[in-house]
Amino acid sequence: MKRTLALVFALSWCICAWAQETAIRPLDVPMSFSGTYGELRHDHFHSGVDWRVGGKVGDDIHAIKSGYVSRVSVSPWGYGNGLYITHPDGTTSVYGHMLRFFDSLARRVEQEQYARESFSVNLTFGPDDFPVHQGDVVGQVGNTGSSAGPHLHMEIRDTEKDLTLNYISRGVYKPLDKMSPQFHRVAFYALDSRPVADSWRIHNLKNPTAVRDTLKLPRRSYVAVDATDRQEGTGAKLAVEEYRVWLDDTLLFSFKVGDMPFDAGRYIKSLIEYRESRGGGRDLVKSQVDPNNLLADRVECHNDGLIILDDTAVHTVRIDAVDEHGNRATVRYKVRRDDGFQAPARDTSYDTTPWLWYMQNMVSDGDMTYYLPAGALYNNINFTWKKMADADPSRGIVSEVWRIGSPDIPLQVPGELEIAARIPEGLEDKAYMANFGEKLTYAGVQVRFGTYCVALDTVAPTVQFLGGKGEIVSGSTIRIRVRDNASGVSDARVEIDGKWYLSMLRRDIVSLELKEDRIRRGKHEIKILVTDNCGNETCEIREFSY
């Protein structure tokens, strides 16, 4: 009995010690970041920190605290090779873009990939499967998934509350930071007085700290800000923690990133001036607050963040950008009301109707119907639509072409589009909803605002082996380019000697590594079966020596 009590006490002490652990660094390199928590990433906030590794892969990654591997994800995109360690203190640390996992875990992942015949897997484990201690090597730094260069993406999650935590602002990691944020661009937008207001840019200040003249503004306007933070030892453009906009002594708008829930992060499209960001442009935080922006719990505003000038006196607009260590940058502008601004004329060739963000909205015009659920919009809009062209069988277009809304308007969720099509008998399964442009691309039925048509794809994908000098194998690697010029490649299956073989499809390249524990030396047969989104298939078989 005493021995049992002693064991229970020892176990309890161990758990308590684990719970009190202070996080260590995940890498043995100097602390320097290429990305920090809360950066604006067009459609999400950066939910962790990116550790710099000198542009190379292979550095050891250490568990920052004790716990157990609770999840592993492998994908050509996202975090690539991602590792999740759950800790007794209620947090989970996440390590993304890894080159490889530690050996026993790597073997388990590969076993599951072959059992499921799938490169992409998402595996969960219990506390007894893969326990780890603080400082254990859990893998190596890589460049897998949606990564632009070797680095370690690491984030800390509050497991119960489903929040991501900022370990820099919390003081767990303390990089040298005495540098203030930097303003890159400030833009002002006018709002008209129509029942559903449109906005348009009236000032675009590309050197925002050098403006001395008084700016003319209409009665109602708002401002949008492009600013980034800086830290010693890195040239990276990092995250601003808080944005503030003042009109004289009145705080019009304040946004503080804080600890971000995963679901709330999608509302970044309402926080930024989306038309500037769309297509990869810079993200400008706007002072105007949309009614359906659920980031409101971290926004403070007056008059919905609008600059309202009720007189012609000179006023001051002040903008602050503050980093997570309290370093602040400020710009000030003298502004005066001018009633000479005129809203751009609307294109009357489009049909237009007001759509309210809190309502279900639908338009039906001849052979086209588009439905948007309530809450899909962030604000009320003037919805526009237009038939752009007739069917063009020479391009495989078997319906009218429709422009649905403006791509400059963001949506929280897509809508449902139906377009009647004249599909030849027997080709119904070869029809797909396409994004219309110089090249047609697969869109699906759930679509955001843009230009669409129904098209046919009856042509199978193409396959090209990329070995050198007529050989298929380059070292121990086989690379195969697969392309489809219409609906797009949906799947590529590789078999060697009649058995499924682990491969990865990323963009238009299928790649696989030949391993001696999976394939013996000698002559072999490789088969690849490529399928597009309309079910067209191409099968290629080659012989190779290894």
Side-chain angles (χ1 to χ4, degrees), residues 146-398:
S146 301
S147 172
H151 72 283
L152 171 64
H153 171 88
M154 192 190 77
E155 59 189 64
I156 311 299
R157 300 180 179 181
D158 183 314
T159 310
E160 181 178 347
K161 296 180 180 178
D162 202 26
L163 293 172
T164 55
L165 308 178
N166 188 345
Y167 263 27
I168 296 180
S169 66
R170 289 168 175 258
V172 179
Y173 298 127
K174 300 177 181 179
L176 178 64
D177 183 7
K178 296 182 180 180
M179 301 178 71
S180 298
Q182 181 178 7
F183 290 98
H184 303 288
R185 185 151 67 100
V186 172
F188 287 84
Y189 298 82
L191 279 168
D192 65 27
S193 58
R194 289 180 271 209
V196 175
D198 287 327
S199 65
W200 68 100
R201 192 173 67 194
I202 54 175
H203 297 296
N204 186 28
L205 310 180
K206 295 183 179 181
N207 189 3
T209 61
V211 177
R212 299 292 180 266
D213 296 336
T214 298
L215 301 177
K216 296 178 180 180
L217 299 180
R219 179 177 178 272
R220 297 197 313 154
S221 64
Y222 63 91
V223 66
V225 182
D226 174 16
T228 57
D229 189 29
R230 301 174 294 169
Q231 288 181 3
E232 285 79 358
T234 174
K237 296 179 179 180
L238 306 175
V240 170
E241 170 73 7
E242 186 175 4
Y243 300 81
R244 304 179 194 135
V245 177
W246 303 76
L247 178 61
D248 297 327
D249 294 325
T250 299
L251 181 65
L252 292 184
F253 171 83
S254 173
F255 170 77
K256 188 171 184 177
V257 176
D259 295 330
M260 186 67 65
F262 283 103
D263 288 344
R266 295 178 298 160
Y267 284 86
I268 188 175
K269 290 181 290 186
S270 177
L271 178 74
I272 62 177
E273 187 62 29
Y274 185 76
R275 77 189 100 182
E276 303 275 2
S277 174
R278 188 176 71 87
R282 297 288 300 176
D283 294 323
L284 283 76
V285 173
K286 65 179 184 178
S287 66
Q288 181 197 30
V289 180
D290 294 327
N292 192 30
N293 185 350
L294 294 192
L295 295 172
D297 63 332
R298 57 202 67 222
V299 170
E300 182 180 348
C301 69
H302 176 72
N303 287 336
D304 295 326
L306 300 181
I307 301 169
I308 299 179
L309 303 178
D310 286 325
D311 57 45
T312 58
V314 174
H315 298 270
T316 299
V317 171
R318 187 183 102 205
I319 304 169
D320 298 329
V322 186
D323 70 14
E324 52 208 350
H325 293 109
N327 301 305
R328 183 180 72 181
T330 299
V331 291
R332 292 178 174 85
Y333 302 107
K334 296 296 184 182
V335 299
R336 184 197 295 271
R337 176 172 167 176
D338 186 324
D339 292 330
F341 289 95
Q342 295 292 325
R346 287 179 177 167
D347 186 343
T348 58
S349 68
Y350 286 83
D351 290 305
T352 304
T353 188
W355 275 13
L356 305 180
W357 69 267
Y358 53 86
M359 298 285 289
Q360 297 179 9
N361 294 286
M362 187 177 74
V363 62
S364 186
D365 188 341
D367 291 335
M368 180 277 295
T369 300
Y370 184 68
Y371 165 78
L372 202 60
L377 293 167
Y378 297 112
N379 207 337
N380 303 329
I381 67 168
N382 293 297
F383 176 74
T384 59
W385 73 99
K386 180 181 180 181
K387 174 186 166 182
M388 304 296 292
D390 292 320
D392 184 357
S394 67
R395 294 188 61 190
I397 299 173
V398 292

Side-chain angles (χ1 to χ4, degrees), residues 115-135:
R116 304 178 186 203
E117 296 191 352
S118 173
F119 173 82
S120 297
V121 292
N122 191 354
L123 311 176
T124 57
F125 304 104
D128 297 328
D129 292 323
F130 296 100
V132 296
H133 292 86
Q134 186 179 54

Side-chain angles (χ1 to χ4, degrees), residues 434-467:
N435 295 290
F436 178 82
E438 291 185 8
K439 180 181 178 181
L440 302 179
T441 58
Y442 184 80
V445 177
Q446 299 278 335
V447 300
R448 302 181 185 275
F449 293 159
T451 305
Y452 302 97
C453 63
V454 178
L456 294 180
D457 182 5
T458 60
V459 180
T462 61
V463 173
Q464 179 188 7
F465 286 84
L466 298 177

